[in-house]
Amino acid sequence: MNQEMTIALKNTVSQGTALLLGSLVLYAGEIRAQAAPDEDITELEPMVVQGDLLLTPSDELATGSTLLGEDELRRQGSFHFEDVLGRIPNLTFAGGTARPRFFQIRGIGENSQFGNEIPATSVGFLVDGIDFTGMASAVSLYDAGHVEILRGPQAAAFGASAMAGLVVVQSRAPTPYPTASAEVSFGENNFHRFAIAAGGPVGDRGSPLRFRVSGERLRSDGFIANTFLGREDTNERDESTARLQLRWEATPRLTFDATALVADFNNGYDVWSLEQVPFETTTDEPGRDEQRTRAASLKADLTITDAMDLLYLGSFSDSDLLYSFDWDWSNPEKMRDRFGPVIFGGTERTEHQRSRVSHDLRLRSLRSKQESKLGSWAAGLYYQDFEEEQEYTVDVRDFDDFQDTRVVHSTYATESLAAYGQASYPISSQLTFEAAARLERASIKYRLPADSGTGEEAETLYGGNVSLTWEPLPDQRFYASIDRGYKMGGVNLDEEVPAFAAV
């Protein structure tokens, strides 16, 4: 019988604090399987990379990558994806949001999405098979099984969303035995966090249906004090996530995996100040950075023969995002004292309503390149439908009763159909050749503000890679690759500039 119950009480220290308040960790009710004798040493299998079409082991991947396993994530106390960014080479993020959600890999990526801008697409971000590109601020790492970062174009597998690279977050899978864990954390600035996870078979042990449920609640006033408003919670964090996973082994050859996910991040955003006093602001209208996402994914795996299976991957997500900030970074009193009697100030507010549906049908070999003289391969068809509606509001005032408000409505949608394939062939015991390609037909539909009209554009895109891997010794590995990524053309949603511009 394998059962585990973990309760952790921790102190979390805010930014700018050097005082360690101490921590207390209690482990209770732990029952594990009998350990193997000391002389029996088990060599762990390398992690399988979920972001690769061939599910290549991590020590055989012909691309720059960083993989963080469950033990490392728990040992480092990583609550959010933000907490691991400092340990990942070549991955950076843009400031300007309460939590990081605009990333760059090797310098390529997006810095923002304000009003009249299309969504970010250069660095792909997948969570349990659900596309969170441009929305990763709502990605909690509680109960995560592993994190993958693949550097360089991953266009053959994931198309335009992964021109610079790909990030994959995979949750812990349901287990065939009961498990449970809980964490409670307290800290400065009214920080408190509660998290719980449980899972196991539905019914008796050995049941073909398993589940895992997890939830997390985090609350903090933040480390900023707004001296003008006399508040200490204008940069607050108020975050909740919940996830349900099901695995059904319908037959020995057919397995279903389903995930339902809800994230509600209701965060403040108040960090800029003209006075540049550390951890203090004087804004009169603090900003917000909020996201509410409801998403689900389904994976069906049918083993056709001992050497081949058919895989279906489907996902759906619906998100509401709000981003606002005080663009004068101050208040009327401070602005007049510093710049004179007639000074402009104001706020910006952008609301996004975003939905995405995708279907991926894939045929792949089940034998590794070492097991088959013909190597391993995968081929498939992919369809995606994406829509976003924006409302962009700019408020301008001169602090003498003059005020002007501009509201811009626009919609943007893309539809993509792609065919792709990847194959790995062992030339010899030491030399392996690999190639991948993707052909995609993408259309863009848009409705511009006011009377600027609507439009539609379409383009054919392609990408792929070839690589050669040489392993002269079991612990030595060299590879060379040529990769081609691509990115869809964009739409200028502001009516004052031409609408369509190919990239």
Side-chain angles (χ1 to χ4, degrees), residues 168-230:
V168 177
V169 177
Q170 189 69 41
S171 300
R172 293 183 64 186
T175 56
Y177 50 85
T179 63
S181 65
E183 295 182 7
V184 181
S185 308
F186 298 94
E188 292 182 324
N189 301 315
N190 196 28
F191 175 89
H192 50 272
R193 172 180 171 269
F194 308 94
I196 188 170
V202 178
D204 298 333
R205 182 170 180 149
S207 169
L209 182 61
R210 309 170 191 168
F211 81 98
R212 187 166 188 84
V213 61
S214 62
E216 182 182 34
R217 181 78 169 89
L218 184 150
R219 180 73 176 87
S220 172
D221 288 342
F223 55 90
I224 298 293
N226 188 310
T227 58
F228 178 76
L229 297 177

Side-chain angles (χ1 to χ4, degrees), residues 29 59 68 101 107 112 140 201 317 331 357 379 400 417 451 462 465:
D59 61 348
L68 305 175
R101 60 187 170 109
S112 65
S140 167
S317 65
N331 58 79
V357 177
D400 286 319
L417 180 62
D451 298 325
Y462 67 94
N465 77 286

